[in-house]
């Protein structure tokens, strides 16, 4: 019942994240069980996978302890971050802003580089970081091998619009 209530509430407005606080107000039950189900759904991308970022609550607004949903940030990289990543050969860069609001790229510590997790656009519960098919027409679309084999392409796309990216063989 919790799962269905949370997924249905998220589907009403997928651009808004379903926070733990909001989830607790939807159902009746103990907080630990609600938090466990919400965490599972959020972790596996069944809720909040299309959500825009949410600002952290200001101090004194009574944010619930343990509610980290405001940390969710699913924003595409800025133009500067994209250019910096391309110019570095795909290696991650740290973007820092100086006092005037201008950004500059710096090389990160090698030990701190961790590849980002990439989820399948057609099956958001599938992690396709190691092997995926990347759409050339729609750069935000990545498909896992199963979704690609089933032909779950965006409207107006075919298999010719995708490139295979295999991190294991790089």
């Amino acid at each position: 019942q919790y799962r269905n209530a949370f997924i249905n509430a998220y589907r009403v407005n997928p651009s808004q994240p379903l926070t733990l606080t909001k989830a607790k107000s939807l159902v009746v039950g103990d907080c630990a069980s609600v938090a466990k189900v919400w965490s599972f759904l959020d972790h596996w991308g069944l809720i909040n996978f299309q959500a825009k970022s949410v600002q952290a609550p200001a101090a004194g607004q009574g944010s619930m302890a343990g509610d980290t949903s405001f940390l969710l940030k699913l924003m595409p990289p800025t133009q500067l971050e994209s250019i910096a990543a391309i110019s570095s050969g795909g290696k991650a860069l740290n973007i820092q802003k100086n006092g005037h609001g201008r950004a500059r790229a710096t090389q990160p510590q090698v030990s701190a580089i961790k590849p980002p997790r990439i989820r399948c656009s057609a099956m958001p519960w599938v992690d396709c970081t190691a092997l995926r098919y990347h759409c050339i027409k729609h750069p935000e679309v990545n498909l896992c091998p199963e979704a690609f084999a089933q032909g779950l392409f965006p409207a107006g796309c075919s298999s010719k619009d995708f490139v295979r990216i295999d991190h294991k063989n790089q």
Side-chain angles (χ1 to χ4, degrees):
Q1 290 175 345
Y2 292 166
R3 180 200 69 206
N4 292 343
F6 298 163
I7 290 175
N8 290 336
Y10 173 70
R11 287 182 179 167
V12 169
N13 189 359
S15 65
Q16 292 288 3
L18 178 66
T19 63
L20 180 57
T21 306
K22 176 71 175 164
K24 287 179 182 178
S25 69
L26 294 173
V27 294
V28 177
D30 67 298
C31 291
S33 297
V34 172
K36 186 184 264 188
V37 173
W38 179 87
S39 296
F40 176 85
L41 296 173
D42 188 54
H43 173 79
W44 289 104
L46 298 171
I47 59 173
N48 298 335
F49 59 91
Q50 292 178 331
K52 302 271 190 265
S53 69
V54 176
Q55 297 298 322
Q61 287 187 342
S63 65
M64 178 165 239
D67 186 4
T68 59
S69 60
F70 64 87
L71 298 175
L72 178 66
K73 218 175 186 185
L74 296 175
M75 300 297 291
T78 64
Q79 185 177 11
L80 178 63
E81 291 168 335
S82 299
I83 292 170
I86 291 169
S87 65
S88 70
K91 294 185 173 82
L93 294 175
N94 291 329
I95 306 296
Q96 297 176 347
K97 290 188 176 182
N98 62 18
H100 303 291
R102 301 218 183 249
R104 65 181 182 85
T106 60
Q107 292 292 338
Q109 300 287 336
V110 174
S111 62
I113 297 175
K114 187 175 183 182
R117 290 277 183 218
I118 297 173
R119 301 260 180 212
C120 177
S121 298
M123 301 176 181
W125 57 91
V126 177
D127 181 5
C128 59
T129 305
L131 175 62
R132 68 182 182 275
Y133 292 87
H134 180 73
C135 184
I136 298 170
K137 282 186 177 178
H138 304 284
E140 70 280 359
V141 175
N142 291 293
L143 297 180
C144 65
E146 183 179 348
F148 184 80
Q150 292 178 11
L152 301 176
F153 310 127
C157 290
S158 70
S159 61
K160 295 177 184 176
D161 299 318
F162 287 84
V163 292
R164 180 183 167 125
I165 299 176
D166 188 355
H167 282 288
K168 293 178 184 176
N169 294 337
Q170 286 185 348

